[in-house]
Amino acid sequence: MTDFGAAFQAAITLVLDWEGDLAEIVSLSLRISLTAVAVAAVVGLPLGAALALFRFPGRKILVVLLNALMGLPPVVVGLVVYLMLSRAGPLGVLGLLFTPLAMTIAQMILITPIIAALARQVIEDLWDEYAEQLQSFGAGPGRAVTALLWDARFSLLTAVLAGFGRASAEVGAVMIVGGNIDHVTRVMTTSIALEVSKGDLALALGLGIVLVTLSVAVNAAVYLVKDAAQKRQLA
Amino acid sequence: MSDRSKADKGRAILPLELRDVVFQAGGKKLIKDMSFTLSGDRTTIVVGPNGAGKSLLLRLCHGLLAPHAGQVIWHGTTRGGQPGNGSDLAVRRHQAMVFQRPVMMRRSVAANVDYALGLRGLSRAERKARTEEVLSHTGLAGRARMPARVLSGGEQQKLALARAWALRPQVLFLDEPTASLDPAATHALEAIITAIRAQGTRIVMTTHDLGQARRLADEVMFLHRGRLLEMSPAERFFTEPANDLAQMFVRGELLWWRRRKERDPRHDP
Ligand SMILES: Nc1ncnc2c1ncn2[C@@H]1O[C@H](COP(=O)(O)OP(=O)(O)OP(=O)(O)O)[C@@H](O)[C@H]1O
Ligand SMILES: [Mg+2]
């Protein structure tokens, strides 16, 4: 326990000093996860909306598949992206393996299904309610999708947040495709894994504290925004 | 009036003709071989017992449902001898409908009106002016910035009517627009409906309130079990309806437990 106590104290000091390695690792993590979430939202939200609104052959299969993909194991995603990007792989010429971009791609693949599946459910429920009225207004499919995305924005924000949570907490995929290279592809989760195995509990714990704090802060911020807006709009 | 002529500039969508329209669901014919024409500058009230098919009929006319047989023909939708099924978007944009259960978008009261107007491609200034106008006429001006979904049931119905009215449609379908209103609000709403009509909008409305039907109708359609049993000028319908069942309905004697007996071949072939 003294071990833990000392590590904890050291961790707090590290976090409060906020310099060098720690700051670099945190900012790289955020950059990767935020980019992945942004791209996943741009792809996933319209995809979810399309699945909610349009009836086409194979739609049900796609919905089931998407729901299944929500639980995609990160290491498997990492492995597949690794195979694609490795020198012998189909995209090997791009030389992306062990770069932050590769990690972004892996996270994006991991969370796009989450955002799309949650968005589909949210939008489908709203569409059930709105369909006749929007048709009556003479809204075409484009205008209908826009209205649904807008009116469901707070629930969709929660979906995007779920994606962010998963992206930033994930370790398996970024470890495989990023390689955890110091100063290049080292992010919070991979460093924690590494430092623990090296026995440097202080840095690991410090990073853990930052990770948890970030996650709580982001969730709290979104909650507050949502709450304030709902008081005005009753979404 | 200038807006009426603007709408007319598009095209006149009346008359509306239904030819042998059939609608079925769950293997049951719910609208049976219905034929009629709506034209002129009148208010048509559709009456009939619960489940007669009134709401379905309005949806078929408005193009939200497609008939399984027969045709719904708005003026000008007949192309090369191929009549449409009533679902032509360009034609629907000259119509509006207030549903029996109004749908409130998750926006403010004013934004609900504004959204519908935005679909008509109106300028921001025009949308704002019309929104303010219809909200003040329906007594909702003070609620403009409230979320539409916290309005009371009656207020929601008023908003639904205001929203439809703002569109200045050529034809307005109203499905029991006063069903959950108090007597004063019912009165106010009837006045609004009369005003809308005076602006040249053709109104097709269902109601269970026969007093209201008497007050508003120029023409009455009586539906029973998916059939149009009578369509006649209001004064005739209320004094001497031709159909037996319509007669009983007007006298309040068409009782649901007599349905079995009524189901003789004379009425329900
Ligand atoms: N999608 C559907 N599937 C099966 N039956 C339906 C469907 N839609 C309507 N019906 C049935 O069709 C009949 C007519 O319905 P409709 O809503 O038009 O009645 P209504 O005349 O408007 O009655 P009310 O006065 O109660 O509003 C009802 O018996 C209803 O149960
Ligand atoms: Mg009805």
Side-chain angles (χ1 to χ4, degrees), chain A residues 5-24:
Chain A
F8 193 75
Q9 229 164 24
I12 296 285
T13 319
L14 263 175
V15 172
L16 291 179
D17 285 351
W18 195 257
E19 41 149 47
D21 283 1
L22 186 78
E24 188 186 324

mmCIF file of all heavy atoms in Angstrom, chain A residues 5-24:
data_model
loop_
_atom_site.group_PDB
_atom_site.id
_atom_site.type_symbol
_atom_site.label_atom_id
_atom_site.label_comp_id
_atom_site.label_asym_id
_atom_site.label_seq_id
_atom_site.Cartn_x
_atom_site.Cartn_y
_atom_site.Cartn_z
ATOM 1 N N GLY A 5 0.594 4.488 -2.265
ATOM 2 C CA GLY A 5 0.557 5.850 -1.746
ATOM 3 C C GLY A 5 1.645 6.712 -2.357
ATOM 4 O O GLY A 5 1.394 7.823 -2.830
ATOM 5 N N ALA A 6 2.838 6.181 -2.421
ATOM 6 C CA ALA A 6 3.954 6.934 -2.997
ATOM 7 C C ALA A 6 3.701 7.213 -4.474
ATOM 8 O O ALA A 6 3.895 8.342 -4.955
ATOM 9 C CB ALA A 6 5.242 6.140 -2.827
ATOM 10 N N ALA A 7 3.240 6.185 -5.156
ATOM 11 C CA ALA A 7 2.973 6.333 -6.596
ATOM 12 C C ALA A 7 1.910 7.400 -6.820
ATOM 13 O O ALA A 7 2.020 8.225 -7.727
ATOM 14 C CB ALA A 7 2.522 5.002 -7.183
ATOM 15 N N PHE A 8 0.918 7.377 -5.953
ATOM 16 C CA PHE A 8 -0.178 8.317 -6.109
ATOM 17 C C PHE A 8 0.317 9.750 -5.920
ATOM 18 O O PHE A 8 0.000 10.641 -6.710
ATOM 19 C CB PHE A 8 -1.271 7.994 -5.095
ATOM 20 C CG PHE A 8 -2.558 8.706 -5.384
ATOM 21 C CD1 PHE A 8 -3.374 8.276 -6.428
ATOM 22 C CD2 PHE A 8 -2.948 9.799 -4.635
ATOM 23 C CE1 PHE A 8 -4.555 8.944 -6.707
ATOM 24 C CE2 PHE A 8 -4.125 10.464 -4.905
ATOM 25 C CZ PHE A 8 -4.938 10.037 -5.947
ATOM 26 N N GLN A 9 1.167 9.897 -4.884
ATOM 27 C CA GLN A 9 1.704 11.227 -4.625
ATOM 28 C C GLN A 9 2.546 11.705 -5.815
ATOM 29 O O GLN A 9 2.403 12.832 -6.294
ATOM 30 C CB GLN A 9 2.587 11.179 -3.375
ATOM 31 C CG GLN A 9 2.256 12.284 -2.406
ATOM 32 C CD GLN A 9 2.840 12.000 -1.029
ATOM 33 O OE1 GLN A 9 3.831 11.252 -0.892
ATOM 34 N NE2 GLN A 9 2.254 12.571 -0.020
ATOM 35 N N ALA A 10 3.386 10.818 -6.286
ATOM 36 C CA ALA A 10 4.230 11.157 -7.430
ATOM 37 C C ALA A 10 3.374 11.499 -8.649
ATOM 38 O O ALA A 10 3.682 12.421 -9.413
ATOM 39 C CB ALA A 10 5.165 9.988 -7.756
ATOM 40 N N ALA A 11 2.293 10.735 -8.803
ATOM 41 C CA ALA A 11 1.401 10.958 -9.942
ATOM 42 C C ALA A 11 0.800 12.352 -9.891
ATOM 43 O O ALA A 11 0.784 13.086 -10.888
ATOM 44 C CB ALA A 11 0.305 9.906 -9.970
ATOM 45 N N ILE A 12 0.311 12.701 -8.698
ATOM 46 C CA ILE A 12 -0.307 14.016 -8.542
ATOM 47 C C ILE A 12 0.704 15.120 -8.880
ATOM 48 O O ILE A 12 0.393 16.078 -9.604
ATOM 49 C CB ILE A 12 -0.815 14.211 -7.093
ATOM 50 C CG1 ILE A 12 -1.922 13.201 -6.773
ATOM 51 C CG2 ILE A 12 -1.308 15.643 -6.881
ATOM 52 C CD1 ILE A 12 -3.255 13.491 -7.400
ATOM 53 N N THR A 13 1.919 14.949 -8.370
ATOM 54 C CA THR A 13 2.956 15.939 -8.648
ATOM 55 C C THR A 13 3.194 16.055 -10.157
ATOM 56 O O THR A 13 3.267 17.156 -10.719
ATOM 57 C CB THR A 13 4.280 15.532 -7.968
ATOM 58 O OG1 THR A 13 3.982 15.031 -6.665
ATOM 59 C CG2 THR A 13 5.236 16.695 -7.885
ATOM 60 N N LEU A 14 3.280 14.904 -10.802
ATOM 61 C CA LEU A 14 3.494 14.888 -12.259
ATOM 62 C C LEU A 14 2.402 15.661 -13.001
ATOM 63 O O LEU A 14 2.671 16.483 -13.874
ATOM 64 C CB LEU A 14 3.478 13.449 -12.764
ATOM 65 C CG LEU A 14 4.832 12.762 -12.947
ATOM 66 C CD1 LEU A 14 4.638 11.301 -13.326
ATOM 67 C CD2 LEU A 14 5.628 13.488 -14.025
ATOM 68 N N VAL A 15 1.174 15.364 -12.587
ATOM 69 C CA VAL A 15 0.040 15.998 -13.262
ATOM 70 C C VAL A 15 0.059 17.503 -13.027
ATOM 71 O O VAL A 15 -0.156 18.294 -13.952
ATOM 72 C CB VAL A 15 -1.296 15.397 -12.772
ATOM 73 C CG1 VAL A 15 -2.472 16.184 -13.314
ATOM 74 C CG2 VAL A 15 -1.396 13.934 -13.196
ATOM 75 N N LEU A 16 0.356 17.871 -11.766
ATOM 76 C CA LEU A 16 0.343 19.300 -11.449
ATOM 77 C C LEU A 16 1.477 20.035 -12.167
ATOM 78 O O LEU A 16 1.303 21.172 -12.611
ATOM 79 C CB LEU A 16 0.429 19.506 -9.940
ATOM 80 C CG LEU A 16 -0.828 19.063 -9.172
ATOM 81 C CD1 LEU A 16 -0.648 19.277 -7.675
ATOM 82 C CD2 LEU A 16 -2.054 19.821 -9.675
ATOM 83 N N ASP A 17 2.629 19.372 -12.298
ATOM 84 C CA ASP A 17 3.742 20.016 -12.999
ATOM 85 C C ASP A 17 3.430 20.189 -14.484
ATOM 86 O O ASP A 17 3.818 21.165 -15.114
ATOM 87 C CB ASP A 17 5.029 19.198 -12.827
ATOM 88 C CG ASP A 17 5.608 19.367 -11.430
ATOM 89 O OD1 ASP A 17 5.078 20.242 -10.708
ATOM 90 O OD2 ASP A 17 6.532 18.629 -11.060
ATOM 91 N N TRP A 18 2.752 19.194 -15.008
ATOM 92 C CA TRP A 18 2.281 19.264 -16.398
ATOM 93 C C TRP A 18 3.369 19.707 -17.383
ATOM 94 O O TRP A 18 3.388 20.822 -17.859
ATOM 95 C CB TRP A 18 1.093 20.225 -16.496
ATOM 96 C CG TRP A 18 0.363 20.051 -17.801
ATOM 97 C CD1 TRP A 18 0.418 20.847 -18.900
ATOM 98 C CD2 TRP A 18 -0.505 18.977 -18.131
ATOM 99 N NE1 TRP A 18 -0.346 20.348 -19.914
ATOM 100 C CE2 TRP A 18 -0.935 19.200 -19.464
ATOM 101 C CE3 TRP A 18 -0.938 17.824 -17.457
ATOM 102 C CZ2 TRP A 18 -1.796 18.311 -20.137
ATOM 103 C CZ3 TRP A 18 -1.793 16.966 -18.121
ATOM 104 C CH2 TRP A 18 -2.210 17.225 -19.453
ATOM 105 N N GLU A 19 4.282 18.806 -17.619
ATOM 106 C CA GLU A 19 5.350 19.206 -18.548
ATOM 107 C C GLU A 19 5.838 18.001 -19.332
ATOM 108 O O GLU A 19 5.508 16.843 -19.038
ATOM 109 C CB GLU A 19 6.504 19.844 -17.771
ATOM 110 C CG GLU A 19 6.803 19.110 -16.479
ATOM 111 C CD GLU A 19 8.248 19.174 -16.088
ATOM 112 O OE1 GLU A 19 8.808 20.279 -16.130
ATOM 113 O OE2 GLU A 19 8.812 18.111 -15.775
ATOM 114 N N GLY A 20 6.620 18.275 -20.332
ATOM 115 C CA GLY A 20 7.347 17.272 -21.108
ATOM 116 C C GLY A 20 6.464 16.149 -21.625
ATOM 117 O O GLY A 20 5.450 16.384 -22.266
ATOM 118 N N ASP A 21 6.902 14.953 -21.273
ATOM 119 C CA ASP A 21 6.274 13.742 -21.787
ATOM 120 C C ASP A 21 4.764 13.703 -21.562
ATOM 121 O O ASP A 21 4.006 13.392 -22.471
ATOM 122 C CB ASP A 21 6.891 12.518 -21.105
ATOM 123 C CG ASP A 21 8.251 12.208 -21.711
ATOM 124 O OD1 ASP A 21 8.656 12.970 -22.627
ATOM 125 O OD2 ASP A 21 8.880 11.235 -21.281
ATOM 126 N N LEU A 22 4.365 14.044 -20.351
ATOM 127 C CA LEU A 22 2.949 13.925 -20.007
ATOM 128 C C LEU A 22 2.090 14.783 -20.945
ATOM 129 O O LEU A 22 1.140 14.298 -21.560
ATOM 130 C CB LEU A 22 2.726 14.352 -18.563
ATOM 131 C CG LEU A 22 1.308 14.133 -18.059
ATOM 132 C CD1 LEU A 22 1.064 12.674 -17.712
ATOM 133 C CD2 LEU A 22 1.033 15.003 -16.837
ATOM 134 N N ALA A 23 2.464 16.047 -21.065
ATOM 135 C CA ALA A 23 1.688 16.950 -21.911
ATOM 136 C C ALA A 23 1.673 16.459 -23.358
ATOM 137 O O ALA A 23 0.630 16.482 -24.033
ATOM 138 C CB ALA A 23 2.273 18.352 -21.849
ATOM 139 N N GLU A 24 2.798 15.977 -23.807
ATOM 140 C CA GLU A 24 2.895 15.506 -25.189
ATOM 141 C C GLU A 24 1.964 14.314 -25.428
ATOM 142 O O GLU A 24 1.220 14.266 -26.407
ATOM 143 C CB GLU A 24 4.350 15.102 -25.468
ATOM 144 C CG GLU A 24 4.619 14.771 -26.921
ATOM 145 C CD GLU A 24 6.043 14.229 -27.099
ATOM 146 O OE1 GLU A 24 6.953 14.715 -26.387
ATOM 147 O OE2 GLU A 24 6.219 13.339 -27.934
#
